[in-house]
């Protein structure tokens, strides 16, 4: 293959930073910089990531050579995947054709038609497998849901593909239990442990289901056991990473440092701040699937209390061509997407990276293009009310 955009991409992703991880892009923080060498398990993870990235390149180069192409064919972009389930064998073959040799899938890619030899597995420049925007977890759930309806031949393909996919998810999990946005590692904020858009909770819910739900019971028992272990490691990471302010537990941020667990920023309009929506998803996960795991109950007590204290009552957020505003609505409950640290007050960011305290100060494009207020946390408060036996064990009463 010629030294084109893709080759340059792989070269940059394979480059090694001071700590042995991918080098950060210009102007972005290097999450892997550390004055001391990484521990053996983290060094092994980085080495594994570099090998896996090279394997992706080898797969594509082999396809290009076989198809006599000098450059890869582009993938078709789609907001999601062009479909939201597998309902027939043709769709199954198409989705399977986009599974990478590592076992994961890309995002924002139309997967309705079978991928051609030499065609990229994703529509974005960094087409490596990702967990962002529901990628990989969605395809894995589709495969499991279609399995009972598939022919014997297609079931064999699903068993092979889903086994590889589960192994991929477990392979991508950090030694401390967290998950980056993508794997192999890409550098910059992509390597942070990512709660944004529910990446972490989607994967942990998936691992729990693989270990416990009936639709995955046909998978290898040892693999399901490893999924349960991966789930428990992820929950332990969440408990340890819960942000504390002045000794009081709060919730989580959208991204956390892969090594220290400290909050880190992502894009300019996603600065360090507590997040309501993703934290609500974390608390729902802990409440539903891990209430007995060590450390979970205190995390639930403080997290639910924080959501209750920071809700905005009797208002809804409305957007139109002129901008956005909060409107009175009796009985409504909403939360700002972001809360400042350490003040814990609603905060908003624009593409210029500046901090604002009123959503109407943002550019029109950002007001219309981002969900600055959320309401899903109310479901956690409802679910908590149904668990009085847990609330009774909290060190301090949780007032809803």
């Amino acid at each position: 293959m010629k030294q084109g955009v893709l080759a340059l991409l792989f070269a940059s992703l394979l480059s090694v930073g001071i700590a042995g991880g991918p080098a950060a892009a210009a102007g972005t923080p290097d999450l892997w910089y550390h004055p001391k060498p990484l521990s053996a398990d983290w060094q092994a993870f980085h080495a594994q990531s570099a090998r896996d990235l090279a394997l992706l390149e080898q797969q594509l180069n082999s396809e290009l050579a076989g198809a006599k192409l000098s450059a890869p064919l582009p993938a078709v972009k789609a907001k999601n995947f062009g479909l939201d389930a597998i309902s027939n064998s043709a769709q199954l073959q198409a989705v399977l054709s986009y599974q990478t040799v590592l076992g994961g899938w890309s995002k924002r890619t139309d997967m309705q038609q079978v991928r051609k030899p030499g065609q990229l597995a994703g529509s974005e420049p960094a087409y490596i497998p990702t967990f962002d925007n529901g990628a990989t977890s969605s395809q894995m759930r589709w495969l499991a849901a279609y399995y009972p309806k598939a022919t014997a031949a297609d079931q064999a393909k699903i068993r092979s593909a889903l086994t590889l996919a589960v192994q991929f998810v477990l392979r991508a999990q950090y030694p401390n239990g967290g998950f980056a946005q993508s794997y192999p590692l890409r550098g910059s904020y992509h390597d942070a442990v990512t709660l944004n858009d529910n990446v972490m909770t989607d994967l942990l819910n998936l691992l729990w289901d693989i270990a416990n739900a009936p639709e995955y019971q046909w998978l290898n028992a040892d693999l399901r056991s490893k999924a349960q272990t991966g789930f428990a490691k992820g929950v332990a990471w969440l408990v340890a990473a819960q942000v504390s302010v002045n000794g009081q537990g709060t919730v989580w941020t959208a991204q956390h440092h892969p090594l220290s667990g400290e909050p880190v920023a992502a894009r300019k309009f996603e600065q360090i701040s507590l997040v309501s929506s993703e934290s609500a998803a974390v608390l729902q996960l802990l409440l539903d699937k891990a209430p007995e795991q060590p450390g979970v109950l205190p995390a639930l007590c403080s997290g639910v209390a924080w959501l209750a204290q920071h809700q905005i009552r009797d208002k809804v957020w409305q957007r139109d061509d002129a901008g956005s505003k909060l409107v009175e609505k009796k009985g409504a409950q909403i939360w700002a997407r972001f809360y400042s640290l350490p003040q814990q007050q609603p905060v908003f960011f624009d593409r210029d990276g500046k901090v604002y305290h009123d959503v109407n100060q943002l550019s029109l494009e950002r007001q219309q293009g981002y969900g600055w207020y959320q309401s899903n946390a109310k479901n956690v408060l409802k679910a908590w009310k149904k668990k009085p036996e847990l609330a009774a064990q909290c060190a301090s009463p949780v007032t809803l």
Side-chain angles (χ1 to χ4, degrees), residues 193-205 231 234-243 250-256 275-291 295-297 299-304 307 376-377 380 384:
V193 177
T194 304
L195 277 66
N196 192 43
D197 294 333
N198 296 328
V199 165
M200 183 80 175
T201 48
D202 279 352
L203 290 173
L204 292 184
N205 275 308
F231 170 79
V235 168
W237 182 92
L238 288 169
V239 169
Q242 187 176 24
V243 177
T250 62
V251 283
W252 290 264
T253 61
Q255 292 84 208
H256 289 253
V275 289
S276 61
S277 182
E278 286 85 353
S279 293
V282 169
L283 292 167
Q284 192 71 63
L285 167 76
L286 299 180
L287 184 62
D288 291 344
K289 296 176 177 174
V296 165
L297 182 59
L300 279 169
C301 294
S302 56
V304 171
L307 288 179
N376 64 308
V380 179
W384 181 254

Side-chain angles (χ1 to χ4, degrees), residues 112-131:
Q112 297 181 85
Q113 305 297 324
V114 172
R115 186 177 69 88
K116 300 174 183 176
Q119 185 178 22
L120 295 178
S123 67
E124 299 189 325
Y127 78 93
I128 61 177
T130 184
F131 306 117

Side-chain angles (χ1 to χ4, degrees), residues 303-321:
V304 171
W306 189 94
L307 288 179
Q309 293 163 7
H310 291 83
Q311 63 186 305
I312 301 169
R313 294 180 179 273
D314 301 320
K315 292 184 184 295
V316 295
W317 185 47
Q318 294 183 352
R319 288 181 282 189
D320 55 32
D321 292 342

